[in-house]
DNA sequence: TATATTTCTTTACAATTGTTAAGTGGCAGG
DNA sequence: CCTGCCACTTAACAATTGTAAAGAAATATA
C-alpha cells in the first residue's frame, strides 16, 4: 500500500497512528475502472473506502439532474457517513471519476475493530467533527459568496480539482449551470 | 426545568435517557435578555447551551455583513460544536433572539462527565453525525434549490421560524438580500 | 487516421437577483 | 401624542444567471 490508511472515513486528511496501523489488515484492496458506482442512492452503505490512487465523487439525483456534492483524491477516506455508521439508506451515490485503486473496510470488520478497541470511536468522533466543520464551511460559502467567488476559491484552494474533474460536475458542485461556469471562466480570462 | 435536557449539544431534537438524567445536575440555569451575545467569534467556547424558553441564532460577520447561519428554539441544544469539543476559536457568534431561559453545561463539567461515563461519547458521536446530516441537507439545498424553493421549504418545514425571526435574518440564512426575500414573499401572494 | 461521442463554449433572450434609494408601517420612549 | 428608530416593502436600473440551441474542441473508439 503506497498511501497510509487514514483516521477519517469520510474525506478528512489522512492521519496515520499506531492504533490504525494495528488494524490496517481489515482494509481490503480493490481496483475499479472509471465511472464505477460504489454505493447507490437508497442503499445502506456497508463499506468505507480509502483512495490509494484515482478519484471519487459523491453525487445525487435532484429532479433528474446529476448534482455533485464532493470530490475525493489519493490519501482520502470516503463514505456515506450517516449511512455507514447508522445503517440508514444513503442519500448519495459514490462513484469513481477515474480508474482507481482503493481499499475498503467492511462494516462487519469495523464492528469487530471497535469491539476490540473502543477508543477508535474517539478517532471517529474527531473525524465526524472535522467533517461537520467542513460541511459548515461549504454551506456558509454557498450562502455568503457569489458563484464567481466560490469558483475563485476553488481555484486557489483546490486547483487539482480543476485538472481532474469535468467542468459540468464542478458547475453543479458550485450550484450553477455549466453555461454559467463557462461564462465565469471566460470573464476571468 | 420544564424541558428535558437533550442528548445533542448542537441543535438536534431533544432525546432524554437515563444516562443523561443522571448528569443533568451539571446543567446550570441562566436567564438573559434578547440580543445577548453568549459566544463571540474568535473566542473558544467553554459552554454548551440548552434552551428552556426563548430562541437563539448562530451568525457570523462576512465582510461587514451579518449572516445568520442557524436558528434554535425551546428544547434544542446549542453550541459551536467544533469550538466546544476541540477548544478551537469559534467561527460564529451565538446570540439570543428573544429574552431566554437557558441551561448551560461548562466544558469542565463535560470533561468530568465523560471521565465518569465514557459511553456518553457514543451519544455525542451520534449527535455529531445527526448534525452533519443536517448541515449536509442545508448545503445540498443551497446548491440545488432556488431561493424561492428554499423559502417555500422553510415555510413548510419550519413555519415557526417565520413567526419568531426577523425577515432580514431569514434572508441572509437563505443566501439572499432582504429585498429579494420581500419580492419572493410578494410573488407568492 | 477517421469517426463518433462527449465535453465545453458561445449566443440570444427571458427571468431572477443585487444595489440604491425612497416610502410605509409598527413600536418604544419621552 | 409625538418623535425617532427599526423592520419591511416597493421601485428603477444594472448585473448575473438560467434556458435552449448551435457550434467548437477534446476525447474515445474502431
Amino acid at each position: 500500500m503506497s498511501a497510509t490508511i487514514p483516521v477519517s472515513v469520510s474525506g478528512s486528511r489522512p492521519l496515520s497512528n499506531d492504533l490504525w496501523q494495528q488494524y490496517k489488515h481489515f482494509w481490503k484492496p480493490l481496483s475499479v475502472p472509471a465511472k464505477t458506482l460504489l454505493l447507490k442512492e437508497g442503499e445502506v452503505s456497508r463499506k468505507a473506502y480509502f483512495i490509494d490512487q484515482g478519484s471519487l465523487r459523491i453525487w445525487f439525483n435532484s429532479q433528474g439532474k446529476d448534482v455533485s456534492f464532493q470530490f475525493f483524491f489519493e490519501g482520502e477516506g470516503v463514505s456515506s457517513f450517516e449511512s455507514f455508521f447508522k445503517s440508514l439508506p444513503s442519500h448519495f451515490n459514490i462513484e469513481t471519476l477515474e480508474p482507481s485503486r482503493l481499499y475498503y473496510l467492511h462494516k462487519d470488520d469495523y464492528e469487530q475493530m471497535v469491539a476490540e478497541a473502543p477508543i477508535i470511536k474517539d478517532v471517529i468522533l474527531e473525524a465526524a467533527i472535522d467533517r461537520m466543520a467542513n460541511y459548515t464551511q461549504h454551506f456558509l460559502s454557498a450562502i455568503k459568496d457569489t458563484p464567481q467567488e466560490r469558483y475563485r476559491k476553488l481555484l486557489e484552494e483546490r486547483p487539482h480539482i480543476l485538472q481532474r474533474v469535468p467542468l459540468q460536475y464542478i458547475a453543479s458542485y458550485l450550484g450553477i449551470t455549466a453555461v454559467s461556469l463557462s461564462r465565469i471562466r471566460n470573464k476571468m480570462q
Side-chain angles (χ1 to χ4, degrees), chain A:
Chain A
M1 194 180 310
S2 66
T4 311
I5 292 291
V7 158
S8 160
V9 287
S10 176
S12 323
R13 62 209 172 286
L15 212 173
S16 65
N17 62 20
D18 292 346
L19 191 66
W20 211 259
Q21 285 293 317
Q22 197 180 331
Y23 291 97
K24 72 175 182 185
H25 63 277
F26 280 126
W27 293 82
K28 309 270 191 289
L30 174 69
S31 285
V32 290
K35 302 204 177 183
T36 303
L37 204 57
L38 299 170
L39 176 66
K40 203 173 172 179
E41 235 173 307
E43 290 179 352
V44 173
S45 170
R46 299 285 293 164
K47 288 170 184 163
Y49 296 92
F50 171 75
I51 306 174
D52 188 45
Q53 199 169 83
S55 55
L56 272 63
R57 72 174 177 126
I58 290 184
W59 64 278
F60 65 98
N61 189 298
S62 174
Q63 297 151 337
K65 282 181 199 163
D66 172 325
V67 179
S68 287
F69 175 48
Q70 201 148 15
F71 307 109
F72 301 93
F73 303 90
E74 287 82 7
E76 295 184 313
V78 183
S79 81
S80 186
F81 221 116
E82 202 191 8
S83 179
F84 183 80
F85 287 102
K86 302 186 75 175
S87 295
L88 294 171
S90 172
H91 293 119
F92 314 108
N93 302 284
I94 299 181
E95 189 181 285
T96 49
L97 283 164
E98 305 166 308
S100 301
R101 201 162 67 223
L102 311 169
Y103 286 85
Y104 69 87
L105 172 68
H106 196 275
K107 183 72 184 285
D108 295 339
D109 291 330
Y110 163 75
E111 301 290 6
Q112 189 183 330
M113 205 160 78
V114 295
E116 287 179 26
I119 197 156
I120 278 186
K121 282 185 189 167
D122 286 27
V123 166
I124 305 287
L125 174 57
E126 188 153 340
I129 292 173
D130 283 350
R131 278 287 74 203
M132 189 163 33
N134 192 285
Y135 285 153
T136 303
Q137 290 309 314
H138 270 308
F139 173 64
L140 294 187
S141 182
I143 65 171
K144 80 177 201 282
D145 298 326
T146 62
Q148 282 108 312
E149 286 168 333
R150 291 211 298 287
Y151 176 71
R152 192 184 43 69
K153 282 187 182 178
L154 194 66
L155 212 57
E156 280 175 13
E157 295 165 15
R158 307 182 70 191
H160 58 287
I161 288 187
L162 273 296
Q163 290 156 351
R164 295 175 66 180
V165 179
L167 288 175
Q168 54 181 346
Y169 294 160
I170 293 174
S172 71
Y173 172 79
L174 294 174
I176 56 179
T177 61
V179 174
S180 192
L181 176 57
S182 185
R183 279 190 287 234
I184 288 169
R185 283 162 56 83
N186 182 36
K187 203 184 299 179
M188 293 171 78
Q189 84 262 14

